[in-house]
Amino acid sequence: GDSVTQMEGPVTLSEEAFLTINCTYTATGYPSLFWYVQYPGEGLQLLLKATKADDKGSNKGFEATYRKETTSFHLEKGSVQVSDSAVYFCALSDKDKFYFGSGTKLNVKP
Amino acid sequence: DVKVTQSSRYLVKRTGEKVFLECVQDMDHENMFWYRQDPGLGLRLIYFSYDVKMKEKGDIPEGYSVSREKKERFSLILESASTNQTSMYLCASSLGGVEYGYTFGSGTRLTVV
């Protein structure tokens, strides 16, 4: 069945460091891929998405490229800020059903 | 912007009570979902609905039921609350189609004592 695996956290970085959060997936069809962010005490917000192979999603300085050959959708940001501290979820959508990774907590220190 | 509103941010209920969690969306979305979120377990799908009066079990439906009498409203019901149902509950809606993401509500943190 479909599934998403993302790196365990927490990830702790200093401000302005480079961020990578790894995400790989297994899917039987042709899924769309998403990154969601959850700030403390809040629900999940869509951060970016990609709907087909080689698409790059981007938003607020974050990027992720849909790599079909490696079944990956890694999240990157060149320079993180304290305000990026949150939990990040990788997800795929296949046949109207979503599958979420377990989430990666990011702590950014000043 | 689509808005998904969950009626309560925090709830405290007693064991054995019947609990209703309400979710309303304002953009005529077909699909609505209920998840629970627990540390170390991520998001787990409880129930979902693709149309009015329609419901489907997700991965962990035991101890829950749902109601969708109107398109915009999707209610989660805990028939007899238990302490292991203490959790964050998240409602989501989507337009449909694999390319659309979910829009989530802010969540309801339920504590059963």
Side-chain angles (χ1 to χ4, degrees):
Chain A
D2 293 9
S3 66
V4 176
T5 303
Q6 61 182 104
M7 61 189 288
E8 288 200 24
V11 173
T12 301
L13 296 173
S14 297
E15 209 164 21
E16 299 183 4
F18 185 86
L19 168 72
T20 301
I21 300 177
N22 290 337
C23 171
T24 58
Y25 68 90
T26 303
T28 52
Y30 299 92
S32 292
L33 300 174
F34 304 82
W35 277 100
Y36 282 84
V37 58
Q38 184 180 35
Y39 299 103
E42 302 289 329
L44 277 69
Q45 301 173 25
L46 179 63
L47 181 60
L48 54 83
K49 68 178 183 182
T51 58
K52 60 183 187 298
D54 300 325
D55 269 3
K56 178 186 279 188
S58 61
N59 186 24
K60 300 181 181 178
F62 291 90
E63 292 183 341
T65 300
Y66 189 145
R67 302 277 188 209
K68 194 173 179 202
E69 64 276 13
T70 54
T71 62
S72 65
F73 193 56
H74 304 321
L75 182 68
E76 296 182 335
K77 187 176 186 183
S79 176
V80 294
Q81 306 300 313
V82 172
S83 58
D84 293 327
S85 297
V87 180
Y88 293 81
F89 291 89
C90 185
L92 73 83
S93 173
D94 191 10
K95 302 181 184 65
D96 284 338
K97 196 169 177 186
F98 264 66
Y99 301 84
F100 288 89
S102 55
T104 302
K105 186 171 185 179
L106 171 65
N107 296 318
V108 181
K109 296 183 174 180
Chain B
D1 278 353
V2 177
K3 200 166 182 185
V4 177
T5 303
Q6 294 184 233
S7 53
S8 304
R9 290 297 300 271
Y10 300 95
L11 273 180
V12 180
K13 296 292 182 180
R14 294 192 182 278
T15 300
E17 276 193 77
K18 191 169 186 176
V19 181
F20 293 85
L21 303 184
E22 305 289 347
C23 175
V24 177
Q25 50 94 3
D26 65 359
M27 279 296 290
D28 205 34
H29 280 182
E30 302 289 336
N31 308 328
M32 297 188 76
F33 307 83
W34 275 106
Y35 286 85
R36 64 178 281 176
Q37 182 182 16
D38 300 287
L41 297 176
L43 277 75
R44 293 181 290 168
L45 181 63
I46 305 171
Y47 268 96
F48 60 100
S49 168
Y50 289 155
D51 201 353
V52 175
K53 307 240 184 222
M54 177 268 183
K55 59 186 178 185
E56 292 280 350
K57 292 180 180 179
D59 300 319
I60 52 160
E62 296 78 20
Y64 303 94
S65 63
V66 289
S67 171
R68 192 154 182 215
E69 296 296 319
K70 293 184 178 181
K71 191 175 187 178
E72 67 270 19
R73 185 180 296 270
F74 192 38
S75 304
L76 180 69
I77 303 157
L78 285 66
E79 299 292 343
S80 176
S82 64
T83 55
N84 63 13
Q85 292 179 309
T86 292
S87 186
M88 169 74 102
Y89 290 88
L90 294 168
C91 176
S93 72
S94 74
L95 190 57
V98 295
E99 69 276 21
Y100 296 103
Y102 282 0
T103 300
F104 280 87
S106 299
T108 297
R109 184 164 294 283
L110 172 67
T111 302
V112 182
V113 298

